[in-house]
C-alpha cells in the first residue's frame, strides 16, 4: 500500500507550508504524508499536498464520518483513525478509500478482520505493549498487518519494523513543529532523508 515503511505523521498549523513540505517529502524519498485532522488548516493542507506530484497524501485522526467525508473531498487517498469506528470503516469502503483503523485489544482486532480490514493501526503503540504485543498478535493473526503509531522514534523504530506483521510505522520526528513553523526545509529535508534511508533498510 505504501512505498516506504516509515509514514510521516504531520501536524500542520500553517497550510502555506504544505506545498514545500510535500515537495520535500518527495525529493527526499519519503513520499507519503498522513496529515492529522488536528488543526483548522489540515483540510487545506491535504488539498494542497494531494496535488504534489509523486506524493501519497492521507488524513489521520479521522474520528467520525464527517471527518472522513471532508478528508476524501479534500483529496485524501487513505484514512487513518485512532480507534475502531465501524461507521468510518464502512464509509471508506463504500467510496473505495483505504482505511487503517486503530486497535488495541484482541476483540478490536477480530472485529476489524470481520469488517474486511487488512491493515490496522496499533495505537498508542508504546503505551499498550509495543513490540511484545505485536509479537503475540502475529501468532494468532498471522495474515493481519499492523502500522503502529504513538511513541515511536529513531530509538525504537527498528524494534517494530523488524517484526513480520508490521508493514510500516507512523512517526513525526522527521518534521518537528518548530522547524516547520520557521520554514527550515533544509533541516527538515535532512531529517526526512535520514528517515528514508532507515525506511529503505526494512523492505516489506
Amino acid at each position: 500500500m505504501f512505498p516506504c515503511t516509515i509514514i510521516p505523521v504531520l501536524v500542520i498549523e500553517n497550510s502555506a507550508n504544505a506545498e514545500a513540505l510535500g515537495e520535500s517529502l518527495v525529493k527526499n524519498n519519503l513520499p507519503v504524508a498522513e496529515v492529522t485532522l488536528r488543526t483548522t488548516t489540515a483540510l487545506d493542507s491535504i488539498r494542497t499536498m494531494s496535488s504534489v506530484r509523486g506524493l501519497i497524501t492521507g488524513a489521520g485522526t479521522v474520528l467520525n464520518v464527517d471527518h472522513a467525508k471532508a478528508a476524501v473531498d479534500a483529496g485524501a487517498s487513505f484514512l487513518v483513525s485512532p480507534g475502531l469506528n465501524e461507521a468510518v470503516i464502512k464509509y471508506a469502503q463504500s467510496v473505495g478509500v483505504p482505511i487503517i483503523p486503530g486497535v488495541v485489544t484482541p476483540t478490536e482486532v477480530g472485529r476489524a478482520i470481520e469488517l474486511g480490514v487488512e491493515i490496522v493501526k496499533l495505537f498508542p503503540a508504546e503505551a499498550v505493549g509495543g513490540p511484545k504485543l505485536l509479537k503475540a498478535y502475529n501468532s494468532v493473526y498471522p495474515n493481519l498487518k499492523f502500522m503502529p503509531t504513538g511513541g515511536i522514534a529513531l530509538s525504537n523504530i527498528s524494534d517494530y519494523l523488524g517484526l513480520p506483521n508490521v508493514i510500516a510505522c507512523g512517526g513525526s520526528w522527521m518534521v518537528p513543529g518548530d522547524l516547520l513553523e520557521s520554514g527550515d526545509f533544509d533541516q527538515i529535508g535532512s531529517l526526512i532523508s535520514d528517515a528514508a534511508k532507515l525506511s529503505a533498510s526494512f523492505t516489506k
Side-chain angles (χ1 to χ4, degrees), residues 7-188:
I7 310 303
V9 179
L10 311 174
V11 179
I12 303 176
E13 299 286 352
N14 185 351
S15 58
N17 293 321
E19 184 175 7
L21 176 56
E23 291 173 348
S24 183
L25 288 166
V26 173
K27 178 182 177 181
N28 291 287
N29 302 312
L30 205 64
V32 180
E34 179 190 325
V35 181
T36 61
L37 301 182
R38 302 179 193 174
T39 68
T40 57
T41 62
L43 291 173
D44 285 339
S45 298
I46 290 171
R47 196 170 288 110
T48 296
M49 296 178 81
S50 64
S51 67
V52 174
R53 186 172 182 176
L55 183 67
I56 300 172
T57 303
T61 321
V62 178
L63 301 178
N64 51 54
V65 173
D66 287 342
H67 277 178
K69 288 181 177 178
V72 171
D73 288 345
S77 58
F78 66 92
L79 304 173
V80 183
S81 57
L84 187 71
N85 186 315
E86 295 191 17
V88 170
I89 293 171
K90 290 176 180 178
Y91 166 75
Q93 292 172 333
S94 74
V95 295
V97 175
I99 173 71
I100 304 174
V103 299
V104 173
T105 69
T107 300
E108 292 168 337
V109 172
R111 184 56 182 149
I113 293 171
E114 288 179 352
L115 290 167
V117 174
E118 297 179 352
I119 304 173
V120 292
K121 167 182 175 175
L122 182 68
F123 177 81
E126 277 291 282
V128 300
K132 289 183 179 180
L133 181 59
L134 288 164
K135 287 177 183 177
Y137 279 156
N138 189 53
S139 63
V140 182
Y141 310 107
N143 297 320
L144 186 66
K145 298 301 182 183
F146 288 81
M147 186 179 81
T149 307
I152 295 178
L154 283 173
S155 60
N156 61 6
I157 193 169
S158 295
D159 296 335
Y160 288 89
L161 290 177
L163 299 175
N165 57 342
V166 171
I167 192 171
C169 288
S172 58
W173 74 87
M174 72 291 295
V175 186
D178 58 337
L179 294 182
L180 185 58
E181 186 62 27
S182 66
D184 188 351
F185 287 102
D186 287 338
Q187 184 62 26
I188 289 173

